[in-house]
Amino acid sequence: MSENRAVAKADRAASPAMRTIMSTAAGLFADRGYGSVGISEVGSASGFGKGSLYYHIRSKEDLLFAIMTNYMIELNSAATEIVEAEAALEPRVRQLTASFVRTMFDNRAEMTVCFREVHSLGDELQGDVLKLHGDYQQIWERTFLEAAEAGEGRAVSKVETKAILGMFFYSFLWVRTDGPAGPDEIAADFARIVLDTVSLARSGN
């Protein structure tokens, strides 16, 4: 199953050495493009010789896949814990939003690489990346559905959910992680937008 392959690679990525390699490679790929960076350059920049580098990765594509999926697996895991622990709409949305914005601040280069370079993966691995994003969308769909069933919010369509998540996933393109607004302030603004969008007042109730 595709999810198992992604999770297995994420388990390997949890080692300090692999995280160093991924972080270094993500910065290089984001700055110059995946096709313009050689694997030997990744090794040199991260402090690993060719032999030790290939101890941690199987190929350049394997490294690219790990960069694109590791932060998504961690994001999905955190989001699942939030929805299991918190039933009410407002705290759920605020916690999910804070979790995402922190992830975006910590993984700006990784998100850039995923946005620009997913086509560099083979079809099967691209499918794995898309599945992780689909899993995240389902967490938000569940949040909105359960809120509507509880009378806390209006029914939200898949198109609206995708639009809301577009605000999140494309924020790395314009949010300044070195700007005056920190992650807590940005998360509060995003949460307010989501809550205003799904409020019962929007449905005329």
Side-chain angles (χ1 to χ4, degrees):
M1 218 172 120
S2 61
E3 184 178 11
N4 291 340
R5 178 168 54 245
V7 171
K9 289 178 183 293
D11 287 343
R12 285 195 293 109
S15 73
M18 186 60 182
R19 286 186 179 274
T20 296
I21 294 166
M22 287 195 303
S23 178
T24 302
L28 292 170
F29 295 163
D31 287 343
R32 293 167 43 202
Y34 173 73
S36 299
V37 178
I39 198 67
S40 60
E41 186 175 357
V42 173
S44 297
S46 56
F48 290 85
K50 187 174 182 179
S52 58
L53 183 66
Y54 277 106
Y55 175 81
H56 296 285
I57 66 170
R58 296 186 180 95
S59 65
K60 187 180 176 186
E61 184 185 44
D62 180 68
L63 175 58
L64 180 64
F65 182 74
I67 289 168
M68 292 183 182
T69 56
N70 194 65
Y71 77 90
M72 277 303 307
I73 290 168
E74 293 179 350
L75 180 65
N76 285 353
S77 177
T80 299
E81 289 181 9
I82 289 167
V83 299
E84 293 296 339
E86 181 56 69
L89 174 64
E90 182 171 347
R92 242 195 214 184
V93 166
R94 292 194 182 281
Q95 290 175 41
L96 286 170
T97 302
S99 173
F100 182 90
V101 173
R102 284 194 300 270
T103 298
M104 184 270 289
F105 266 69
D106 292 342
N107 296 272
R108 187 75 170 266
E110 287 80 357
M111 286 190 173
T112 302
V113 171
C114 191
F115 177 71
R116 292 178 182 168
E117 306 289 355
V118 68
H119 64 277
S120 299
L121 296 173
D123 290 344
E124 193 171 10
L125 294 182
Q126 284 188 46
D128 292 350
V129 173
L130 294 176
K131 183 181 186 306
L132 288 171
H133 284 78
D135 290 343
Y136 188 70
Q137 178 175 322
Q138 288 177 7
I139 291 169
W140 280 92
E141 289 174 351
R142 172 184 170 184
T143 293
F144 297 144
L145 176 61
E146 291 179 357
E149 290 174 344
E152 293 185 290
R154 66 178 180 84
V156 177
S157 70
K158 285 185 179 290
V159 171
E160 289 175 302
T161 302
K162 286 182 178 292
I164 289 168
L165 292 183
M167 174 182 71
F168 285 88
F169 276 106
Y170 290 99
S171 62
F172 80 92
L173 290 169
W174 56 269
V175 169
R176 287 181 53 194
T177 52
D178 62 346
D184 292 343
E185 295 159 289
I186 292 170
D189 284 343
F190 278 18
R192 176 181 49 78
I193 292 169
V194 175
L195 291 168
D196 286 349
T197 300
V198 304
S199 72
L200 288 171
R202 293 291 294 273
S203 66
N205 293 336

